[in-house]
Amino acid sequence: MAYVAIADRPDELHHPHSFITKYVWSQDHKVIAIQYSIIAILVGLIALGLSFVMRLQLAFPDTFSFIDPSIYYQSVTMHGMIMVIYLLTALFLGGFGNYLIPLQLGARDMVFPYMNMLSVWVYLLSVIVLLASFFVPGGPTGAGWTLYPPQAILPGTPGTDWGILMMLLSLAIFIVAFTMGGLNYVTTVLQARTRGMTLMRMPLSVWGIFTATILGLLAFPALFVSAVMMSFDKLLGTSFFIPAVLSMGDVLETEGGSPVLFQHLFWFFGHPEVYIVALPAFGIVSDLLSVHARKNIFGYRMMVWAIVAIGGLSFIVWAHHMYVSGMNPYFGFFFATTTLIIAVPTAIKVYNWVLTLWKGDIHLTVPMLFAIGFIFTFINGGLTGLFLGNVVVDLPLSDTYFVVAHFHLVMGVSPVLVVCGAIYHWYPNITGRMLNDGMGKVHFWMTFIGTYCIYFPMYYLGILGLPRRYYSNGVTDFIPDSVSAVNIAITVSALIVGLAQLLFVLNLITSLRFGKKAEQNPWRATTLEWRTPEYPPGHGNWGPELPGVYRWAYDYSVPGAEKDFICQDEPPTEGQGA
Amino acid sequence: MGILKILANKPWEASGEIDNLEGGGVVEAPPARVGLWAFLAVATSLFGLFSSAYHMRADYADWQQLSVPALLWLNTAILILASVAFQWAWMASRNGRLKAVRDGLSLGGLLTLAFLILQLVAWNQMISAGFFAQSNPANAFFYLLTGLHGLHLIGGLWVWQRTTSRFWAGLDQEDAEQVGAFRLRVELCAIYWHFLLLVWLVLFGMMLST
């Protein structure tokens, strides 16, 4: 049977012999997952630090002499780009994707382990190039994470000499790394599932990661195209995107280029990117809710369909980021419609999460707290998306803090809450030890309440009309004094939330050594990653034989069963319909 | 079993042993082939997006239609022949005619090298005629698209070189596994070359017409 051969293939497992091949040049998907995660979290902490630069400036203008407008814009840009791409995309797909896909599907490893290893090292290279741009003359680019031309490459914006080129190069390298990883994830899901693991028996985590990977494979080329064309504009003086420009008093040689063309290309990538981050979060949170509420996920089929539908629709909503670009109003009508349509499958998912909790045996463990926190935050951020999806409402709000609040809640805080919950959930599986529960609870409440204190007032600032992206608001009639008080409160909350993340990192490090030893399957979950013969899972994951799968991933609290969960590899017993 | 039928499964109703091949659509093919098709989807997306950027940019007033060097017609013919040679090698490998496989592979690779060199000559002709990348976006697209297509061919040649060296290193014809792996490599090369030929025909047609 061909599929067993592909899932198994022990001959192709390169058994590590030394420290270097075991932990550095490793082809084991679990080690690669951890490498991806560590790099992503470290670079994410840098981006967190950059957000403090912004917040300090906004709360206390004219106080910190080291924050000049260039530093501010560079922080904005690098914060956004790192968080969206180098942290969240890499962590969800490179980290969780690598860890969970083979383990949850009952495979020994990814289908192409060597390419998988290359993927993480090329990813590291892209991060190094990105961080190196802090040290080149002129510093990193300050064009905003969307890198809109013409300002991204014309003098006046910080980092137009070297910074922007380093950024484009780093993105191109990242896309190569992602493509190598992504081909692996897709092929592994298609081919290396163990016997009995049908597509509709896959845990929703894998469904989310799988669909997000397909989105990434098809959408990242758009970013690649725009990066290559912009480098041409910068290096060769072509005019793909650069119109006739009077720059610093000089008439440039370029003419006729179209900045809107860049925006179309960028957002053709940029919108699917939102779902590349969101879909794995949706999948993982479904599993967390189901395990910790001891109840099967409500509407499994509907959840799968919603993931697939959101994936498909995410390719035809991109121009809702461009209502203010001056495009044809009929376009706006079309994209507003598709944007509201994509809210339907998303709402289905939210209902199903809530209904999974309904009458569940809810255990308020740390992962569960984060999962429930996600639902609150996601609804909050998602509902304001309905406002912004409508052209007429978006036009006045587009350049205000309302948008900042919306996208941070919906695609910043929500996925990060899932990341945290997932790390608390799977840490025992990775290390064999539990994370400290008390620290975890403090971390959750500080993060959850703290982020609300950061972003909820921003809606108010946005409705007041406070423009985003401004280095300093100066003195204007329409901005009341209360704005600066709110800004100070936001900054204080942000610093507290930042501290909470340090507590989390501390917990991750100290628990490695001092954490309580975890029994196998501490959360009493049904999925295969908890069923390995060695615990934590060893090289090759499974013993001489792969597990066979007899049921779906959500047999919790089955009436008449002995325990309140039945693992996927437990064969059916008498009287329990086969 | 269609994807719709799979998605209509009710996994909570049935527990018990299921053979994925019937019940869950494990794709039964060599992973390398599935990986290649997935990569071709990515490459299609890449070239497709470049083409739509080309058409969108061509709508602006300053666009001047490209005067394509006549040499490109010859190059197109050469690339078609390369593709035919790979197809020949593939078909021969299925019948086990190893000598024909060798000839087909070598010919295909050499024709591709010739194509790449002549593409550089075409670049040179463009430059000496004064069509620089800066002069007009159509020219810039010419360099960009031909360059990107060429890079894909160079990547293909790397795999081609590994395939042929496997052959020259001596293929044990009795060893079914070795022969099977080799046949798969030839097949994947052929598919990749056909794909790049198709991409080239679309790009060339686009540059001629817009």
Side-chain angles (χ1 to χ4, degrees):
Chain A
M1 285 182 284
Y3 56 90
V4 172
I6 293 167
D8 207 338
R9 300 201 306 167
D11 51 315
E12 297 205 5
L13 282 178
H14 300 265
H15 288 285
H17 296 296
S18 68
F19 179 83
I20 299 273
T21 48
K22 198 165 175 188
Y23 297 108
V24 184
W25 305 117
S26 172
Q27 301 188 20
D28 186 320
H29 72 100
K30 299 183 289 296
V31 179
I32 291 170
I34 294 164
Q35 289 168 335
Y36 249 115
S37 307
I38 291 175
I39 301 170
I41 290 173
L42 287 180
V43 73
L45 288 174
I46 295 174
L48 185 71
L50 291 172
S51 69
F52 297 145
V53 175
M54 286 178 255
R55 282 317 316 174
L56 287 174
Q57 164 62 26
L58 290 170
F60 311 104
D62 313 322
T63 313
F64 299 97
S65 56
F66 71 93
I67 309 175
D68 60 16
S70 294
I71 300 271
Y72 179 80
Y73 286 118
Q74 287 163 336
S75 304
V76 172
T77 307
M78 298 302 273
H79 168 81
M81 196 62 102
I82 291 177
M83 286 297 192
V84 171
I85 293 183
Y86 299 89
L87 170 69
L88 286 172
T89 307
L91 189 53
F92 271 123
L93 300 179
F96 288 107
N98 256 317
Y99 197 82
L100 295 179
I101 291 174
L103 273 170
Q104 290 199 327
L105 296 184
R108 291 199 189 278
D109 207 318
M110 288 287 180
V111 169
F112 309 114
Y114 185 77
M115 199 158 75
N116 210 17
M117 176 184 76
L118 280 184
S119 166
V120 73
W121 292 104
V122 176
Y123 164 59
L124 178 64
L125 178 67
S126 77
V127 170
I128 291 172
V129 172
L130 182 81
L131 295 181
S133 76
F134 279 99
F135 304 101
V136 295
T141 174
W145 90 278
T146 52
L147 305 177
Y148 279 0
Q151 48 97 11
I153 59 174
L154 293 185
T157 309
T160 42
D161 294 328
W162 285 88
I164 183 71
L165 285 173
M166 303 280 280
M167 171 63 85
L168 297 173
L169 179 64
S170 168
L171 287 173
I173 298 173
F174 179 89
I175 294 164
V176 172
F178 173 79
T179 305
M180 290 195 283
L183 292 175
N184 244 316
Y185 315 149
V186 169
T187 317
T188 305
V189 172
L190 288 178
Q191 297 204 278
R193 280 171 282 133
T194 187
R195 181 171 50 82
M197 180 61 85
T198 62
L199 280 174
M200 293 306 272
R201 279 176 173 177
M202 293 200 306
L204 286 169
S205 300
V206 178
W207 265 110
I209 291 166
F210 175 56
T211 315
T213 306
I214 295 175
L215 295 191
L217 286 175
L218 299 178
F220 269 113
L223 183 64
F224 190 83
V225 168
S226 37
V228 169
M229 286 168 68
M230 180 131 67
S231 332
F232 265 54
D233 277 1
K234 172 71 190 160
L235 289 172
L236 300 180
T238 55
S239 40
F240 289 125
F241 303 133
I242 308 299
V245 181
L246 192 67
S247 167
M248 301 276 171
D250 300 322
V251 180
L252 300 187
E253 285 182 14
T254 58
E255 57 174 18
S258 163
V260 176
L261 172 58
F262 177 87
Q263 295 191 18
H264 277 296
L265 284 171
F266 182 86
W267 288 113
F268 187 79
F269 145 77
H271 199 84
E273 169 63 29
V274 172
Y275 290 100
I276 292 167
V277 171
L279 289 179
F282 290 172
I284 289 172
V285 86
S286 309
D287 283 354
L288 296 186
L289 287 168
S290 177
V291 173
H292 296 272
R294 316 308 299 161
K295 206 166 149 247
N296 64 297
I297 190 79
F298 188 91
Y300 173 83
R301 269 200 308 175
M302 215 41 106
M303 291 302 241
V304 173
W305 295 349
I307 287 177
V308 175
I310 292 172
L313 286 169
S314 73
F315 279 102
I316 49 168
V317 298
W318 79 88
H320 69 210
H321 297 270
M322 301 165 54
Y323 291 153
V324 292
S325 70
M327 63 183 193
N328 188 326
Y330 290 111
F331 261 45
F333 174 75
F334 172 78
F335 285 103
T337 311
T338 53
T339 303
L340 298 184
I341 290 173
I342 207 171
V344 175
T346 317
I348 288 176
K349 297 195 75 72
V350 175
Y351 289 128
N352 285 354
W353 290 322
V354 176
L355 287 167
T356 301
L357 294 176
W358 178 255
K359 293 192 173 177
D361 175 10
I362 297 176
H363 292 51
L364 286 180
T365 55
V366 179
M368 185 59 155
L369 288 174
F370 276 102
I372 295 174
F374 161 84
I375 300 181
F376 280 90
T377 316
F378 186 72
I379 290 177
N380 190 319
L383 284 179
T384 50
L386 295 181
F387 292 75
L388 294 172
N390 287 289
V391 184
V392 283
V393 189
D394 181 72
L395 290 181
L397 287 176
S398 182
D399 278 325
T400 71
Y401 271 88
F402 195 88
V403 174
V404 179
H406 160 70
F407 73 72
H408 272 95
L409 283 173
V410 83
M411 77 163 299
V413 178
S414 300
V416 167
L417 288 176
V418 175
V419 164
C420 294
I423 291 177
Y424 283 100
H425 184 84
W426 277 296
Y427 190 85
N429 193 281
I430 297 166
T431 63
R433 288 178 187 272
M434 307 293 283
L435 281 168
N436 185 300
D437 206 50
M439 275 160 100
K441 285 191 170 137
V442 174
H443 172 216
F444 168 72
W445 287 109
M446 281 171 77
T447 308
F448 179 63
I449 296 177
T451 46
Y452 254 79
C453 293
I454 296 172
Y455 297 109
F456 216 73
M458 282 191 194
Y459 286 130
Y460 163 74
L461 295 181
I463 290 169
L464 276 182
L466 187 69
R468 62 186 169 126
R469 306 197 185 99
Y470 280 26
Y471 165 66
S472 172
N473 294 317
V475 182
T476 39
D477 284 342
F478 75 96
I479 300 177
D481 292 340
S482 60
V483 164
S484 55
V486 171
N487 263 332
I488 291 172
I490 291 176
T491 298
V492 172
S493 319
L495 290 170
I496 294 172
V497 171
L499 274 183
Q501 307 319 305
L502 290 185
L503 185 71
F504 178 46
V505 174
L506 185 74
N507 196 354
L508 287 177
I509 295 169
T510 53
S511 298
L512 213 52
R513 178 112 194 233
F514 305 108
K516 197 176 76 176
K517 274 232 184 288
E519 56 192 293
Q520 183 154 8
N521 202 356
W523 312 112
R524 296 175 297 137
T526 57
T527 38
L528 292 179
E529 77 274 22
W530 303 101
R531 304 284 288 170
T532 51
E534 270 179 87
Y535 182 76
H539 189 71
N541 295 345
W542 315 101
E545 232 181 291
L546 293 181
V549 169
Y550 299 95
R551 57 187 73 244
W552 70 332
Y554 299 97
D555 266 344
Y556 292 104
S557 308
V558 179
E562 281 172 36
K563 303 170 292 182
D564 74 341
F565 69 107
I566 309 173
C567 293
Q568 284 191 278
D569 58 344
E570 283 181 52
T573 48
E574 289 297 316
Q576 216 197 75
Chain B
M1 187 177 214
I3 184 75
L4 289 178
K5 204 164 173 198
I6 290 172
L7 287 174
N9 270 343
K10 295 181 181 169
W12 55 90
E13 282 183 348
S15 62
E17 209 156 344
I18 291 183
D19 188 332
N20 296 21
L21 286 180
E22 291 147 28
V26 163
V27 179
E28 197 194 1
R33 189 190 290 152
V34 177
L36 178 72
W37 281 105
F39 176 74
L40 294 187
V42 177
T44 306
S45 174
L46 183 73
F47 284 107
L49 284 158
F50 266 119
S51 315
S52 38
Y54 184 93
H55 284 294
M56 284 166 76
R57 186 66 184 81
D59 281 345
Y60 288 83
D62 64 324
W63 184 270
Q64 294 162 5
Q65 199 182 341
L66 203 63
S67 51
V68 179
L71 182 61
L72 289 192
W73 287 100
L74 175 65
N75 291 1
T76 307
I78 291 176
L79 197 61
I80 293 174
L81 287 179
S83 215
V84 169
F86 273 105
Q87 179 68 25
W88 181 37
W90 180 15
M91 279 155 52
S93 84
R94 273 188 297 196
N95 307 336
R97 291 181 289 123
L98 284 179
K99 194 173 163 303
V101 177
R102 188 193 62 197
D103 295 347
L105 272 183
S106 317
L107 189 63
L110 292 176
L111 283 168
T112 310
L113 271 174
F115 172 84
L116 285 171
I117 292 165
L118 288 173
Q119 289 287 82
L120 285 176
V121 174
W123 274 26
N124 204 17
Q125 289 180 355
M126 288 281 285
I127 291 169
S128 39
F131 294 118
F132 303 115
Q134 305 88 306
S135 345
N136 193 268
N139 304 337
F141 267 118
F142 170 79
Y143 293 110
L144 184 55
L145 294 174
T146 51
L148 197 74
H149 180 258
L151 282 178
H152 277 77
L153 276 176
I154 290 172
L157 280 178
W158 181 66
V159 178
W160 167 80
Q161 164 267 325
R162 286 177 49 137
T163 309
T164 44
S165 65
R166 182 70 50 96
F167 186 87
W168 292 116
L171 192 67
D172 182 2
Q173 292 187 44
E174 304 301 309
D175 186 344
E177 200 173 314
Q178 225 183 47
V179 171
F182 177 72
R183 191 180 294 164
L184 179 65
R185 279 167 171 273
V186 176
E187 175 199 327
L188 298 187
C189 279
I191 293 173
Y192 188 67
W193 253 264
H194 296 340
F195 172 78
L196 284 182
L197 173 65
L198 191 69
V199 167
W200 172 251
L201 292 178
V202 171
L203 293 180
F204 188 45
M206 192 172 80
M207 289 191 278
L208 284 175
S209 65
T210 314

